[in-house]
Structures are given as C-alpha cells and as structure tokens.
Amino acid sequence: GENVEQHPSTLSVQEGDSAVIKCTYSDSASNYFPWYKQELGKGPQLIIDIRSNVGEKKDQRIAVTLNKTAKHFSLHITETQPEDSAVYFCAGLPSDKLIFGTGTRLQVFP
Amino acid sequence: NAGVTQTPKFQVLKTGQSMTLQCAQDMNHEYMSWYRQDPGMGLRLIHYSVGAGITDQGEVPNGYNVSRSTTEDFPLRLLSAAPSQTSVYFCATSPGLAGVEQYFGPGTRLTVT
C-alpha cells in the first residue's frame, strides 16, 4: 500500500524567511497530493493541493511542487509570519483513501 | 452552515465500555471518513463511506464500527474500549467520491483508562 514519508518533523524559521517541507510517496498510482494545516486544538484545514498532471501550483505565499519521476512533492511557504506556526501534513491518494504523512511542526519566530 | 460537527468534544471511558462518536455535516457531501490522530503518527483512516448505505474499512478499522443511514450522519462506534484507543478522532467530508478536498471537524479527544 501507499506510504507517505514527511520531513522534517520540526522546523523553526525566523519571520520573513522561507520554509520548505518535503514528502515522498511510494505508490505511483497516487494522483492527488494535498497539504493540510492544523492549528492547536483544531481539525486539519486544506491549504493547497496538486494533481499529478501539474508540476507546480501557487497560492499567494504558498506553493507546492511535484516530481512524479522521483515520487516527491514539497510545500514552500515564503515570507513566513507568526500565524504560519502550526503542524502541516502532506498526503497522497492512491485510490479512495488519503494516506497522510506524520506531520511537520513549523514554528515561526518574530 | 455549521460544516462538520462532532460530539462530544471530550470523553473519558473505562476499559470495556462502549460509546458512539457522532459526526454530522450539512454540506450534502457524499464522502465521509473517520481518522484517528496519535502523536508522531499523523492521521490514520479508520473507516469511510462514499454514500448512504455504503461503508468500507481504512487502515486501522479493528475495534470500530460505522454505519451510514443518511447523507448527513456518520457515527463511529467503539464496541469495547481499550487504552490503545486513546486518541483524538476526526471526522471529515468531501464533495467528491475519492476523498479529495476533505473538510475536517473539530475533533473528539477520547481517553480510555
């Protein structure tokens, strides 16, 4: 079955710097890769997603890149702000079940 | 619209007790799912449903039952609670049938002693 690995598990950056979180997946049938942000005490919230026929997608300060050949995808956050501090999860969708990575705790220091 | 609601928010059970975690949505989504979240393990799929009357198992279904009699509701039943079921449980819905663009509820924190 699908296995999604996520790195790093924790990431600390200074406000204004960029943050990059990387995920690899094992099942080449995966064709949808979302990223979720989870704030303390809340449920995960979808922030951006990408499908396998696209190499990159941007939404303001957030971007996701996908390399199907290498089976990895990354989340890029530019000009980080304290409110970006949260846990971020990547996921892959090989069939009809989302398989999540183990999460990255991002801390943005003012 | 309330979106996805879950009750209760917190629950403490003793080993062997049973209970039902409630999930309701008002978005008319066909796809609903239950996840558990444990430290260092991300979110793991317990059961899911692609429509009323249809359910299927996820990664970690043992010890849990589900049913889907209406589009709006998808309850998760713990048959005989065990300490290993101590976790935070999230319900999620999706407008598609394949689990894309999932909307998560606020979660239920369950402790089994």
PDB file of all heavy atoms in Angstrom, chain A residues 19-36:
ATOM      1  N   ALA A  19      10.129  28.584   4.317  1.00  0.00           N
ATOM      2  CA  ALA A  19      10.083  27.251   4.917  1.00  0.00           C
ATOM      3  C   ALA A  19       9.742  26.243   3.834  1.00  0.00           C
ATOM      4  O   ALA A  19       8.886  26.511   2.976  1.00  0.00           O
ATOM      5  CB  ALA A  19       9.036  27.198   6.027  1.00  0.00           C
ATOM      6  N   VAL A  20      10.416  25.100   3.881  1.00  0.00           N
ATOM      7  CA  VAL A  20      10.165  24.041   2.907  1.00  0.00           C
ATOM      8  C   VAL A  20       9.955  22.721   3.641  1.00  0.00           C
ATOM      9  O   VAL A  20      10.757  22.349   4.493  1.00  0.00           O
ATOM     10  CB  VAL A  20      11.341  23.888   1.912  1.00  0.00           C
ATOM     11  CG1 VAL A  20      11.030  22.775   0.911  1.00  0.00           C
ATOM     12  CG2 VAL A  20      11.607  25.192   1.189  1.00  0.00           C
ATOM     13  N   ILE A  21       8.882  22.039   3.308  1.00  0.00           N
ATOM     14  CA  ILE A  21       8.578  20.731   3.881  1.00  0.00           C
ATOM     15  C   ILE A  21       8.473  19.740   2.722  1.00  0.00           C
ATOM     16  O   ILE A  21       7.838  20.040   1.710  1.00  0.00           O
ATOM     17  CB  ILE A  21       7.257  20.758   4.673  1.00  0.00           C
ATOM     18  CG1 ILE A  21       7.312  21.833   5.769  1.00  0.00           C
ATOM     19  CG2 ILE A  21       6.965  19.391   5.285  1.00  0.00           C
ATOM     20  CD1 ILE A  21       5.985  22.100   6.446  1.00  0.00           C
ATOM     21  N   LYS A  22       9.096  18.578   2.895  1.00  0.00           N
ATOM     22  CA  LYS A  22       9.169  17.617   1.800  1.00  0.00           C
ATOM     23  C   LYS A  22       8.481  16.309   2.148  1.00  0.00           C
ATOM     24  O   LYS A  22       8.530  15.848   3.287  1.00  0.00           O
ATOM     25  CB  LYS A  22      10.634  17.352   1.454  1.00  0.00           C
ATOM     26  CG  LYS A  22      11.381  18.593   1.004  1.00  0.00           C
ATOM     27  CD  LYS A  22      12.823  18.294   0.635  1.00  0.00           C
ATOM     28  CE  LYS A  22      13.539  19.553   0.181  1.00  0.00           C
ATOM     29  NZ  LYS A  22      14.957  19.290  -0.197  1.00  0.00           N
ATOM     30  N   CYS A  23       7.858  15.723   1.138  1.00  0.00           N
ATOM     31  CA  CYS A  23       7.211  14.416   1.301  1.00  0.00           C
ATOM     32  C   CYS A  23       7.562  13.510   0.138  1.00  0.00           C
ATOM     33  O   CYS A  23       7.703  13.986  -1.001  1.00  0.00           O
ATOM     34  CB  CYS A  23       5.691  14.572   1.389  1.00  0.00           C
ATOM     35  SG  CYS A  23       5.143  15.296   2.933  1.00  0.00           S
ATOM     36  N   THR A  24       7.702  12.241   0.431  1.00  0.00           N
ATOM     37  CA  THR A  24       7.885  11.234  -0.617  1.00  0.00           C
ATOM     38  C   THR A  24       6.762  10.215  -0.497  1.00  0.00           C
ATOM     39  O   THR A  24       6.233   9.976   0.594  1.00  0.00           O
ATOM     40  CB  THR A  24       9.239  10.524  -0.500  1.00  0.00           C
ATOM     41  OG1 THR A  24       9.320   9.870   0.783  1.00  0.00           O
ATOM     42  CG2 THR A  24      10.383  11.503  -0.616  1.00  0.00           C
ATOM     43  N   TYR A  25       6.384   9.637  -1.634  1.00  0.00           N
ATOM     44  CA  TYR A  25       5.337   8.627  -1.622  1.00  0.00           C
ATOM     45  C   TYR A  25       5.809   7.400  -2.377  1.00  0.00           C
ATOM     46  O   TYR A  25       6.754   7.460  -3.167  1.00  0.00           O
ATOM     47  CB  TYR A  25       4.037   9.189  -2.210  1.00  0.00           C
ATOM     48  CG  TYR A  25       4.110   9.620  -3.648  1.00  0.00           C
ATOM     49  CD1 TYR A  25       3.695   8.789  -4.683  1.00  0.00           C
ATOM     50  CD2 TYR A  25       4.576  10.885  -3.991  1.00  0.00           C
ATOM     51  CE1 TYR A  25       3.747   9.195  -6.005  1.00  0.00           C
ATOM     52  CE2 TYR A  25       4.634  11.295  -5.312  1.00  0.00           C
ATOM     53  CZ  TYR A  25       4.219  10.453  -6.305  1.00  0.00           C
ATOM     54  OH  TYR A  25       4.275  10.856  -7.626  1.00  0.00           O
ATOM     55  N   SER A  26       5.138   6.288  -2.115  1.00  0.00           N
ATOM     56  CA  SER A  26       5.618   5.024  -2.681  1.00  0.00           C
ATOM     57  C   SER A  26       4.752   4.503  -3.824  1.00  0.00           C
ATOM     58  O   SER A  26       5.252   3.823  -4.722  1.00  0.00           O
ATOM     59  CB  SER A  26       5.692   3.947  -1.583  1.00  0.00           C
ATOM     60  OG  SER A  26       4.401   3.736  -1.013  1.00  0.00           O
ATOM     61  N   ASP A  27       3.452   4.820  -3.811  1.00  0.00           N
ATOM     62  CA  ASP A  27       2.525   4.251  -4.792  1.00  0.00           C
ATOM     63  C   ASP A  27       2.407   5.164  -6.006  1.00  0.00           C
ATOM     64  O   ASP A  27       1.884   6.277  -5.899  1.00  0.00           O
ATOM     65  CB  ASP A  27       1.161   4.051  -4.134  1.00  0.00           C
ATOM     66  CG  ASP A  27       0.235   3.177  -4.971  1.00  0.00           C
ATOM     67  OD1 ASP A  27       0.415   3.131  -6.209  1.00  0.00           O
ATOM     68  OD2 ASP A  27      -0.680   2.560  -4.412  1.00  0.00           O
ATOM     69  N   SER A  28       2.873   4.687  -7.125  1.00  0.00           N
ATOM     70  CA  SER A  28       2.845   5.507  -8.339  1.00  0.00           C
ATOM     71  C   SER A  28       1.422   5.780  -8.818  1.00  0.00           C
ATOM     72  O   SER A  28       1.208   6.633  -9.675  1.00  0.00           O
ATOM     73  CB  SER A  28       3.643   4.819  -9.455  1.00  0.00           C
ATOM     74  OG  SER A  28       3.123   3.509  -9.695  1.00  0.00           O
ATOM     75  N   ALA A  29       0.432   5.067  -8.253  1.00  0.00           N
ATOM     76  CA  ALA A  29      -0.961   5.325  -8.612  1.00  0.00           C
ATOM     77  C   ALA A  29      -1.511   6.587  -7.951  1.00  0.00           C
ATOM     78  O   ALA A  29      -2.572   7.079  -8.338  1.00  0.00           O
ATOM     79  CB  ALA A  29      -1.829   4.129  -8.210  1.00  0.00           C
ATOM     80  N   SER A  30      -0.811   7.113  -6.956  1.00  0.00           N
ATOM     81  CA  SER A  30      -1.266   8.347  -6.314  1.00  0.00           C
ATOM     82  C   SER A  30      -1.325   9.473  -7.331  1.00  0.00           C
ATOM     83  O   SER A  30      -0.358   9.696  -8.068  1.00  0.00           O
ATOM     84  CB  SER A  30      -0.325   8.727  -5.167  1.00  0.00           C
ATOM     85  OG  SER A  30      -0.532   7.912  -4.043  1.00  0.00           O
ATOM     86  N   ASN A  31      -2.441  10.187  -7.357  1.00  0.00           N
ATOM     87  CA  ASN A  31      -2.603  11.244  -8.354  1.00  0.00           C
ATOM     88  C   ASN A  31      -3.106  12.552  -7.764  1.00  0.00           C
ATOM     89  O   ASN A  31      -3.453  13.486  -8.491  1.00  0.00           O
ATOM     90  CB  ASN A  31      -3.561  10.777  -9.454  1.00  0.00           C
ATOM     91  CG  ASN A  31      -4.911  10.360  -8.893  1.00  0.00           C
ATOM     92  OD1 ASN A  31      -5.228  10.642  -7.744  1.00  0.00           O
ATOM     93  ND2 ASN A  31      -5.682   9.683  -9.709  1.00  0.00           N
ATOM     94  N   TYR A  32      -3.151  12.620  -6.439  1.00  0.00           N
ATOM     95  CA  TYR A  32      -3.652  13.831  -5.777  1.00  0.00           C
ATOM     96  C   TYR A  32      -2.873  14.000  -4.491  1.00  0.00           C
ATOM     97  O   TYR A  32      -2.743  13.056  -3.701  1.00  0.00           O
ATOM     98  CB  TYR A  32      -5.152  13.664  -5.487  1.00  0.00           C
ATOM     99  CG  TYR A  32      -5.754  14.765  -4.643  1.00  0.00           C
ATOM    100  CD1 TYR A  32      -5.967  16.041  -5.160  1.00  0.00           C
ATOM    101  CD2 TYR A  32      -6.117  14.521  -3.322  1.00  0.00           C
ATOM    102  CE1 TYR A  32      -6.522  17.043  -4.382  1.00  0.00           C
ATOM    103  CE2 TYR A  32      -6.673  15.518  -2.530  1.00  0.00           C
ATOM    104  CZ  TYR A  32      -6.881  16.767  -3.066  1.00  0.00           C
ATOM    105  OH  TYR A  32      -7.434  17.755  -2.299  1.00  0.00           O
ATOM    106  N   PHE A  33      -2.343  15.223  -4.269  1.00  0.00           N
ATOM    107  CA  PHE A  33      -1.446  15.457  -3.140  1.00  0.00           C
ATOM    108  C   PHE A  33      -1.845  16.756  -2.435  1.00  0.00           C
ATOM    109  O   PHE A  33      -1.465  17.842  -2.854  1.00  0.00           O
ATOM    110  CB  PHE A  33       0.003  15.523  -3.632  1.00  0.00           C
ATOM    111  CG  PHE A  33       0.405  14.315  -4.430  1.00  0.00           C
ATOM    112  CD1 PHE A  33       0.290  14.314  -5.809  1.00  0.00           C
ATOM    113  CD2 PHE A  33       0.874  13.175  -3.784  1.00  0.00           C
ATOM    114  CE1 PHE A  33       0.644  13.184  -6.550  1.00  0.00           C
ATOM    115  CE2 PHE A  33       1.230  12.051  -4.514  1.00  0.00           C
ATOM    116  CZ  PHE A  33       1.112  12.051  -5.893  1.00  0.00           C
ATOM    117  N   PRO A  34      -2.595  16.633  -1.341  1.00  0.00           N
ATOM    118  CA  PRO A  34      -2.994  17.834  -0.602  1.00  0.00           C
ATOM    119  C   PRO A  34      -2.043  18.135   0.548  1.00  0.00           C
ATOM    120  O   PRO A  34      -1.304  17.261   1.022  1.00  0.00           O
ATOM    121  CB  PRO A  34      -4.370  17.438  -0.058  1.00  0.00           C
ATOM    122  CG  PRO A  34      -4.250  15.964   0.180  1.00  0.00           C
ATOM    123  CD  PRO A  34      -3.305  15.442  -0.882  1.00  0.00           C
ATOM    124  N   TRP A  35      -2.092  19.378   0.981  1.00  0.00           N
ATOM    125  CA  TRP A  35      -1.389  19.799   2.192  1.00  0.00           C
ATOM    126  C   TRP A  35      -2.414  20.384   3.158  1.00  0.00           C
ATOM    127  O   TRP A  35      -3.254  21.196   2.758  1.00  0.00           O
ATOM    128  CB  TRP A  35      -0.333  20.849   1.867  1.00  0.00           C
ATOM    129  CG  TRP A  35       0.880  20.285   1.210  1.00  0.00           C
ATOM    130  CD1 TRP A  35       1.101  20.130  -0.129  1.00  0.00           C
ATOM    131  CD2 TRP A  35       2.053  19.785   1.865  1.00  0.00           C
ATOM    132  NE1 TRP A  35       2.338  19.572  -0.350  1.00  0.00           N
ATOM    133  CE2 TRP A  35       2.942  19.351   0.857  1.00  0.00           C
ATOM    134  CE3 TRP A  35       2.455  19.677   3.201  1.00  0.00           C
ATOM    135  CZ2 TRP A  35       4.199  18.814   1.137  1.00  0.00           C
ATOM    136  CZ3 TRP A  35       3.695  19.140   3.483  1.00  0.00           C
ATOM    137  CH2 TRP A  35       4.556  18.716   2.460  1.00  0.00           C
ATOM    138  N   TYR A  36      -2.313  19.955   4.423  1.00  0.00           N
ATOM    139  CA  TYR A  36      -3.223  20.425   5.456  1.00  0.00           C
ATOM    140  C   TYR A  36      -2.446  21.160   6.541  1.00  0.00           C
ATOM    141  O   TYR A  36      -1.331  20.769   6.887  1.00  0.00           O
ATOM    142  CB  TYR A  36      -3.994  19.260   6.078  1.00  0.00           C
ATOM    143  CG  TYR A  36      -5.088  18.710   5.197  1.00  0.00           C
ATOM    144  CD1 TYR A  36      -4.797  17.796   4.190  1.00  0.00           C
ATOM    145  CD2 TYR A  36      -6.402  19.130   5.358  1.00  0.00           C
ATOM    146  CE1 TYR A  36      -5.804  17.299   3.375  1.00  0.00           C
ATOM    147  CE2 TYR A  36      -7.413  18.632   4.545  1.00  0.00           C
ATOM    148  CZ  TYR A  36      -7.093  17.727   3.557  1.00  0.00           C
ATOM    149  OH  TYR A  36      -8.090  17.247   2.746  1.00  0.00           O
TER     150      TYR A  36
END
